[in-house]
Amino acid sequence: MAEFRRTYGDIKVRGVNCPRPIINWYQCGLPSPVLDLIEKKSFEKPFPIQCQAIPVAMSGRDTIGIAETGSGKTLAYVLPMLRHIRDQRPLEDGDGPIGLIIAPTRELVLQIWKETKAFAKACGLQVVAVYGGVNIQDQLPMLKRGTEIVVCTPGRMRDVLALSNGKITNLKRVSYVVLDEADRILDMGFEPQVKVMLNKCRPDKQTVMFSATFPRSIENLAKSILSQPVEIVVGNRGQTSNNIEQMVEVIEDEDKF
């Protein structure tokens, strides 16, 4: 396995009793509809971060995944989440979600929601996106009806939980939490909101943290919210992607709209 990790994406792991990586999708223990969807999307084999992060998360361990943008991190935490939720008792009236995915921006929330929705539907699960920039009243009915998974930005989710003293939804049943792009969550100043949400979740929750880079601020956050995590690094720790082209256009205020 050490040779496989070294030659397939330069996967490095740190942590006790790290599970062996998977080599194909059939080793994930996923239901047939999910495997059929993976085949339909032409995902021939797992990416390096998926090879190691999926078995770690499926074993119930807290996880730190460090890999550049576009490396397949979303499926690395969504597939274990689906299996985790299917093993819980069904939602009852008044129950909030079981899985919670926190991301820094509404654009990323919508991207995660779209990808998660397709796989959740194959398992008969509901996904709701909660984000700012739109009327909060449009999101409340979907939460009140009940959903197994919520994908959210920290600020809007804090507002939702504050409404009606938690009667719209709550985090009491959340047992699988994901922080995606954790470095940006901290850069944007959302750490206080995230910690408030985590304190409202089940104390025995499993927490999975993914990030493109891993500065010291992320290390400090990980130490405060994770329990004996397995750390997985694909490529170089703290490396940013060379495959992204950024374009900035400066516009005068009167021309922005």
Side-chain angles (χ1 to χ4, degrees), residues 12 27 34 77 91 95 99 104 139 168 190 198 209 231:
K12 306 177 188 71
Q27 296 174 319
V34 175
Y77 60 73
L91 294 181
D95 281 348
Q139 298 168 351
I168 300 296
F190 288 130
L198 293 178
M209 177 187 291
E231 181 182 310

Side-chain angles (χ1 to χ4, degrees), residues 132-165:
V134 296
N135 193 332
I136 194 172
Q137 299 300 327
D138 296 336
Q139 298 168 351
L140 300 182
M142 294 183 288
L143 290 169
K144 203 165 185 179
R145 282 196 295 269
T147 180
E148 286 85 2
I149 302 170
V150 166
V151 188
C152 68
T153 53
R156 175 51 63 91
M157 193 63 194
R158 176 201 57 194
D159 296 341
V160 168
L161 293 171
L163 284 172
S164 305
N165 198 25

Side-chain angles (χ1 to χ4, degrees), residues 52 180 185 231:
Q52 188 61 77
D180 197 358
I185 288 176
E231 181 182 310

Side-chain angles (χ1 to χ4, degrees), residues 103-123:
T105 65
R106 70 169 177 257
E107 292 81 8
L108 182 57
V109 163
L110 287 169
Q111 178 184 321
I112 296 169
W113 170 77
K114 185 176 180 181
E115 189 164 355
T116 303
K117 185 179 179 183
F119 287 93
K121 185 178 180 181
C123 295

